[in-house]
Amino acid sequence: MTRHANAAIWAVIPVKPFDEGKSRLGLIGDARATTNRAFLDHVLGTALAVLPAGNVVVVSRDETALAVARRAGARGLYEPDEGDLNDALAIGAKFAGERGAAGVLSLFVDLPDLAPQDIRSMISEFTGDNLVIAPDEKGSGSNALLMVPNALPYRHGQDSLWRHLDAARETKTPFAIVRRPGLMRDVDTPAQYASIAERSARVYHED
């Protein structure tokens, strides 16, 4: 199949309430909410630099997160039930598919180094019927997926890279793996967060 233009690709960004997300980082109160808001601002802005604003969907139970999306020109889709990450992605993919999406790119907010070229690299590998997957630094998780809307079940959780690849093999779905620093570097531990905060502070002082 021919490769699809960006207009046929949608992005789905699941977001926990700002005061709930990233509990493992050890942040509390305003610091936690502010950090999660900053994560969303970055990933949302990066997606909007590549895709039409109407093709970017934030799925959340947090009205503040949905308002952030809408003010940026993206869509905010309320998550009706307190499901898990996979449920939120499936809701977003269904929404996009019903509106003509040829492919749905799922992105997590904890990708502080995500750049427009990372998204373009994912799209460049999409042929219209395959799975494009970006592993994390450990090589066991998956930080981004691009596929036909809900063509495969979302299997995020422990060892999600292998679980998604198993699903592709079970259905004989071709797949491509994209390894880029901006897609691989996530923030799951206090040490990873400290490294990001230190780097940001250093850049600030140098400026």
Side-chain angles (χ1 to χ4, degrees):
M1 295 181 67
T2 59
R3 298 183 187 275
H4 289 269
N6 289 7
I9 305 298
W10 286 53
V12 172
I13 306 171
V15 181
K16 284 186 177 181
F18 289 148
D19 60 355
E20 295 180 16
K22 289 297 159 189
S23 59
R24 288 177 290 183
L25 299 186
L27 300 172
I28 60 174
D30 290 344
R32 187 171 176 181
T34 299
T35 296
N36 285 315
R37 165 67 188 270
F39 282 164
L40 173 59
D41 285 343
H42 173 68
V43 170
L44 177 61
T46 305
L48 290 171
V50 179
L51 300 172
N55 291 19
V56 179
V57 185
V58 170
V59 182
S60 183
R61 292 181 286 110
D62 190 330
E63 290 291 353
T64 302
L66 299 179
V68 169
R70 291 166 183 150
R71 282 197 298 269
R75 299 178 188 252
L77 180 61
Y78 185 74
E79 185 181 359
D81 300 310
E82 192 172 345
D84 63 12
L85 172 65
N86 297 312
D87 295 329
L89 287 171
I91 290 170
K94 181 176 183 292
F95 180 87
E98 290 172 347
R99 287 155 181 79
V104 172
L105 171 66
S106 60
L107 290 170
F108 295 153
V109 293
D110 64 337
L111 296 173
D113 295 332
L114 185 70
Q117 189 53 45
D118 297 319
I119 294 176
R120 295 188 187 103
S121 293
M122 294 285 291
I123 295 172
S124 72
E125 293 295 330
F126 184 59
T127 60
D129 59 358
N130 65 337
L131 166 69
V132 185
I133 188 166
D136 63 9
E137 284 187 296
K138 293 182 291 187
S140 59
S142 44
N143 285 341
L145 299 174
L146 174 55
M147 61 182 176
V148 173
N150 284 324
L152 299 171
Y154 290 102
R155 294 182 172 180
H156 290 287
Q158 186 174 4
D159 296 327
S160 63
L161 174 67
W162 307 115
R163 294 170 66 188
H164 285 122
L165 293 180
D166 284 345
R169 294 185 181 102
E170 289 165 6
T171 57
K172 298 183 179 179
T173 300
F175 59 84
I177 299 176
V178 175
R179 292 183 173 88
R180 292 180 60 87
L183 290 163
M184 297 172 71
R185 293 174 185 154
D186 53 17
V187 185
D188 281 332
T189 68
Q192 289 172 325
Y193 176 72
S195 176
I196 294 297
E198 179 183 357
R199 187 180 63 189
S200 297
R202 186 168 59 248
V203 170
Y204 173 81
H205 287 301
E206 288 175 352
D207 289 344

